[in-house]
Amino acid sequence: MNKKRAVRFLCFNSFFGLIMASFSPSSFALTIEDAWNAAKYYDPIYQQSQLDEQIGETEVRSSRSALLPSADITASSQWNDGSSNTNSYSLGFTQTIWDSSKWAALDQSQAQFLTSKLKFKQSHNELAERLINAYLALAQSQGDLRLAQQKFDEGTKMLHITDLRYKAGKIHSTELEDMRANHVDERADILASQSKVADKKAVLIALINIPPHVVYEIDTTNLTPPKLIVNSETAWLKLANDNSPELLVAKQNVRVAEFGKDQAKAGYYPTVVGSVGYGGSYNTDGNVNAGLTLTVPLDLNGSTSANVDRAKLRVLRAKEEVRAVQIRIKSTISNRYTQLSVDWERVEIAQHQVESRQRLLKSKQIIYDAGMAEASDVIDAHNRLFSSKNALQSLFYQYWQHRISLLKSVGKLDDNTISMISRALQS
């Protein structure tokens, strides 16, 4: 009975193994959408930007409360030797009637709150760029490893054929040794590619806290470039001016600095505060009192003047930051937009090179089998073919990296972009 169970168990394991082997390894790949959702949940910089937005909201409430009436209740009791106790109480209300600095503080806090919202969008845009680049870097290194393994397998076949020809006395031992040395180099390339995959995987794990088994790769057989959202450099610049989070944050910082200047100037203006109170003791009747307090500041020590000058300089500095961001974005768009068309032309040429190298290798192998070429000729053609395949793959990823940089400069690294990239990956 135990033997029958053991046989059934072995049969089940074999059947299950055949089922699992029928699945493609890519069926267990981590999708870029899943990686993106994990990064938004895990990345501390992204979480900090969300908290900064909430902090900005509380600062607006705090600034607004300074303009609302305040109230306090006071009760006291005193004991004196040889006399009766004295108990007193009071209720007071205070209202700021006019204080320019508090109004300016409210305006500034509201502007800072809007800045925190824009910075959250900027953090979203930057996280998307880091995540996409890390994902594509792992995909590229994974593709390099696949090509290295494919090259090694093809080299194994070549080495076997060369060994048979040597045993048949058709070639010299030097040709066999050349083939063996090249095969060792191919094994070394596999190990180097495995190391690179591990490095790139660590970068992605640091962003998503998920150890991916494999990721999807760019489909290097599709030679149709995806459409751009706009088709001129002027349109890209217009899109950046309206949507770039980095530029919008810089412009909003100018407004914050200008409100800070208004707050500094408020140190020259008088303030008016009104108060109403009611107080008394348990032995006497209570009474109502009201009053107005006018405060006129005198800048005898020059502190207000210094604050105003500093605030003006901060405004100028914020404006220069806007100009710096505009220059940086314009340079990025001009460079990347021009490069995209060139990149795609290089991809098409690289594809033709791969096809040409494949035909050349077949010709070299036929001539070698006929005894009219040396092993070094086949080795050279073999290595050149896989160098062309690596170059084609590298150019595909370079195209997408430049495209991601262009989209990031205009603030369009959103969920739709993630989906677009996902469609470009192999399934």
Side-chain angles (χ1 to χ4, degrees):
M1 191 69 178
N2 291 335
K3 290 182 179 180
K4 289 182 178 180
R5 288 181 178 178
V7 171
R8 287 180 181 177
F9 181 74
L10 290 173
C11 290
F12 174 77
N13 280 347
S14 299
F15 179 69
F16 181 75
L18 290 173
I19 293 177
M20 294 302 296
S22 66
F23 287 98
S24 169
S26 63
S27 61
F28 302 100
L30 176 73
T31 67
I32 197 169
E33 290 94 342
D34 290 339
W36 170 234
N37 291 328
K40 289 189 290 185
Y41 178 80
Y42 180 72
D43 186 69
I45 299 176
Y46 187 77
Q47 295 298 324
Q48 288 173 15
S49 65
Q50 288 182 312
L51 293 173
D52 288 340
E53 184 177 350
Q54 297 174 18
I55 292 172
E57 184 180 5
T58 61
E59 289 176 348
V60 171
R61 288 160 45 197
S62 177
S63 299
R64 185 178 291 115
S65 65
L67 294 168
L68 299 176
S70 60
D72 60 86
I73 299 175
T74 303
S76 64
S77 180
Q78 295 181 350
W79 293 270
N80 298 315
D81 292 338
S83 61
S84 60
N85 297 338
T86 302
N87 299 313
S88 61
Y89 60 89
S90 65
L91 173 64
F93 294 90
T94 303
Q95 171 65 55
T96 299
I97 298 175
W98 182 256
D99 190 337
S100 299
S101 64
K102 291 182 179 180
W103 283 104
L106 175 60
D107 292 337
Q108 188 177 31
S109 65
Q110 289 174 333
Q112 288 174 335
F113 177 44
L114 180 56
T115 300
S116 65
K117 286 185 173 182
L118 293 173
K119 284 185 175 180
F120 174 65
K121 291 183 179 180
Q122 182 180 1
S123 177
H124 183 281
N125 204 41
E126 292 173 350
L127 175 61
E129 182 188 38
R130 286 188 287 129
L131 184 278
I132 295 170
N133 284 336
Y135 189 97
L136 293 181
L138 176 56
Q140 182 177 356
S141 63
Q142 186 177 284
D144 290 340
L145 175 59
R146 177 174 45 79
L147 287 176
Q149 184 64 54
Q150 184 181 347
K151 183 181 179 183
F152 179 80
D153 294 339
E154 294 294 326
T156 301
K157 296 177 183 178
M158 290 169 49
L159 178 60
H160 178 66
I161 294 173
T162 304
D163 186 53
L164 292 177
R165 289 177 61 82
Y166 172 71
K167 291 178 180 179
K170 295 181 178 181
I171 61 173
H172 297 291
S173 62
T174 54
E175 296 188 52
L176 178 60
E177 292 303 323
D178 284 344
M179 192 66 73
R180 285 175 176 171
N182 187 70
H183 201 48
V184 173
D185 292 340
E186 291 171 340
R187 177 57 182 165
D189 290 340
I190 290 177
L191 295 176
S193 297
Q194 288 175 340
S195 176
K196 187 177 179 181
V197 168
D199 290 339
K200 301 303 180 183
K201 187 176 292 187
V203 174
L204 183 60
I205 292 174
L207 283 172
I208 63 178
N209 199 31
I210 296 174
H213 177 60
V214 290
V215 296
Y216 290 102
E217 299 174 26
I218 294 290
D219 182 5
T220 56
T221 63
N222 183 9
L223 291 181
T224 303
K227 292 183 179 180
L228 297 174
I229 52 179
V230 290
N231 294 313
S232 69
E233 184 176 332
T234 303
W236 279 102
L237 291 172
K238 174 72 166 56
L239 202 61
N241 188 66
D242 296 337
N243 296 280
S244 171
E246 185 181 9
L247 181 57
L248 293 176
V249 167
K251 290 180 177 180
Q252 185 62 23
N253 283 335
V254 174
R255 294 193 62 195
V256 172
E258 288 174 343
F259 285 127
K261 182 179 68 175
D262 294 339
Q263 187 176 12
K265 287 182 177 180
Y268 291 121
Y269 306 141
T271 60
V272 180
V273 178
S275 62
V276 177
Y278 177 81
S281 65
Y282 295 109
N283 300 324
T284 61
D285 295 332
N287 56 75
V288 178
N289 57 79
L292 287 174
T293 302
L294 172 65
T295 302
V296 179
L298 298 175
D299 188 25
L300 296 179
N301 57 9
S303 62
T304 302
S305 175
N307 290 337
V308 172
D309 290 341
R310 181 171 60 245
K312 289 180 179 179
L313 292 173
R314 285 176 175 170
V315 171
L316 293 176
R317 187 186 185 283
K319 289 181 178 179
E320 288 299 315
E321 178 63 23
V322 171
R323 199 164 66 89
V325 173
Q326 288 174 331
I327 293 172
R328 187 162 57 247
I329 289 177
K330 183 178 180 180
S331 175
T332 299
I333 290 176
S334 178
N335 185 24
R336 293 292 182 258
Y337 181 72
T338 302
Q339 279 186 329
L340 282 181
S341 59
V342 177
D343 286 344
W344 197 258
E345 289 180 7
R346 295 180 66 190
V347 166
E348 292 175 336
I349 292 176
Q351 178 64 34
H352 294 320
Q353 287 177 323
V354 169
E355 294 169 355
S356 176
R357 298 293 183 191
Q358 286 175 333
R359 292 192 297 267
L360 178 61
L361 177 59
K362 289 181 180 179
S363 300
K364 291 288 186 181
Q365 287 174 334
I366 293 173
I367 296 174
Y368 177 70
D369 291 339
M372 301 174 63
E374 296 182 355
S376 59
D377 296 328
V378 179
I379 293 172
D380 182 65
H382 169 75
N383 291 339
R384 285 176 178 269
L385 170 61
F386 280 94
S387 294
S388 296
K389 287 184 177 182
N390 280 110
L392 172 62
Q393 180 172 263
S394 177
L395 287 170
F396 257 104
Y397 282 97
Q398 179 177 291
Y399 169 83
W400 275 102
Q401 288 167 352
H402 289 166
R403 185 165 182 144
I404 295 306
S405 177
L406 184 61
L407 290 169
K408 189 248 183 183
S409 66
V410 298
K412 288 297 181 180
L413 288 184
D414 50 21
D415 294 340
N416 292 331
T417 301
I418 300 291
S419 299
M420 177 190 67
I421 297 172
S422 178
R423 290 192 295 269
L425 299 174
Q426 292 179 349
S427 59

